[in-house]
Amino acid sequence: MDSLGVVVNPIAGMGGRVGLKGTDGKLEEARRRGAEPRAPERAREALRSLHRRAPDVAVYTAAGVMGERAVRDAGYEPIVVYEPTADDAAPADATASADADTDPSDASSPVDPATAETTAADTRAAVRAFLERDVDLILFVGGDGTAVDVADVLEATAGDETPMLGVPAGVKIYSSVFAVTPADAGRIAAEFDRAADREVNDIDEEAYREGEVRSQLEAIVPVPVAPDVQSSKQVSSGSVDSLAAGFAREVDPERTYVFGPGSTVGAIERELEIDPSPLGVDVWRDGEVLARDAAESDILAVLEEPATIVVSPIGGQGFVFGRGNHQISPAVIERADEIEVVASGAKLDGIDALHVDTDDEAIDEELRGWLRVRTGRFTTRLVKVV
């Protein structure tokens, strides 16, 4: 690979830890709740991984928080080909950024990614600028919505077979175009030698917030072939009635339970006569719901030891933390002395390994290794977290 285009959605994933299950249409609410950007740091992580392996690649990008800053921080000299503006953004001269006598400090002036007013139109315009430069790969940082924006441009460009690869930064990541972790994305970008068609999926966030998953195939696009590109999420799994009954029988009234999202954990909650929040996180102890549909701050406010986090891996992907449950943050995980992973045997049959991507490498490393997953009333299965 000689060149790539890098575009960052600076607000991707901001709604996760504050309990909004996404940022589409909820950016101001996320800001009001104190949400912090995660996409810029994940972009830097991916690009640093790339730079260690391919320091001489030409990196085209969008200005400021849409890529330029992360590219520069990773050790590259960015070639800015798109400049988002307050009104209609317009492409920048590719040579202006690299060669003009401009003040480098202008590109690194302090701009909070959380307040950056960029749009899906900016993402699409940046991708079009990359294709005009005939890049070998488009590396984007965001979630499924950003993936759709990139794929729309690729599909609209007749005959273009430029591959795309996602650095996971959103809340909902159902598409099979993302690397498992940001570091994996950088490595794959540096080392891939072929691409294959994969799915871009998206869901209706408003329906998702109400507990209904409406997943829709949006595009088929070329993606680098590598083991560490995640699979598409399976929306349903097998019966979990016996699993829920067995778990409920063993509940310790002196423990605080943090119940993650999903139908499997929801079945356990219903067995305990809890009305589970739709795809949210609930905190419960000894018959009392302490926090419902909780954000990270809500969980930490009521979390008392001993504490158990109960989560189920995402079907088809195997993610235990870092996809759809950002409220269960590294700070929450550190406060818990026990993690219970539950899944039906049918769900595990479609998963080769479990994955974690918490934004904290030390926590991820602690979680890796062999894990006993509860699959029924009395049954468990050993599965490796990688």
Side-chain angles (χ1 to χ4, degrees), residues 7 16 30 78 84 160 175 226 323 331 345:
V7 62
D160 195 284
S175 304
R323 299 292 189 273

Side-chain angles (χ1 to χ4, degrees), residues 7-14 17 37-47 49 138-147 164-189 223 228-231 314 317 319 321-324 326 355-360 364 368:
V7 62
V8 179
N9 177 354
I11 64 169
M14 282 181 61
R17 289 192 182 174
R38 66 195 298 259
E41 180 54 39
R42 292 172 81 79
R44 284 189 286 270
E45 184 179 348
L47 289 165
S49 175
I138 293 173
L139 187 71
F140 71 94
V141 185
D144 284 328
T146 313
M164 59 184 278
L165 178 65
V167 177
V171 174
K172 51 185 177 57
I173 301 180
Y174 280 54
S175 304
S176 58
V177 300
F178 290 91
V180 171
T181 69
D184 289 333
R187 180 184 53 75
I188 293 168
V223 176
D228 293 324
V229 175
Q230 72 176 35
S231 302
I314 293 179
Q317 294 181 0
F319 277 95
F321 295 111
R323 299 292 189 273
H326 296 111
H355 301 283
V356 290
D357 183 21
T358 67
D359 285 339
D360 187 315
D364 288 350
R368 293 185 181 116

Side-chain angles (χ1 to χ4, degrees), residues 4 6 40-55 59 69-76 139 167 182-187 189-190:
L4 82 160
V6 174
E41 180 54 39
R42 292 172 81 79
R44 284 189 286 270
E45 184 179 348
L47 289 165
R48 285 167 180 155
S49 175
L50 174 67
H51 190 270
R52 288 194 293 272
R53 297 168 172 85
V59 183
R69 289 182 175 83
V71 171
R72 195 181 302 280
D73 288 347
Y76 291 103
L139 187 71
V167 177
D184 289 333
R187 180 184 53 75

Side-chain angles (χ1 to χ4, degrees), residues 237-249 251 259-277 279-280 282 310 312 342-344 347:
S237 59
S239 171
V240 295
D241 290 347
S242 63
L243 186 160
F247 190 101
R249 288 182 64 235
V251 160
F259 290 111
S263 58
T264 306
V265 179
I268 294 173
E269 291 188 80
R270 283 188 289 273
E271 191 71 23
L272 294 169
E273 300 184 348
I274 305 167
D275 180 20
S277 56
L279 298 171
D282 301 320
V310 186
S312 185
V342 297
S344 68
K347 179 185 277 191

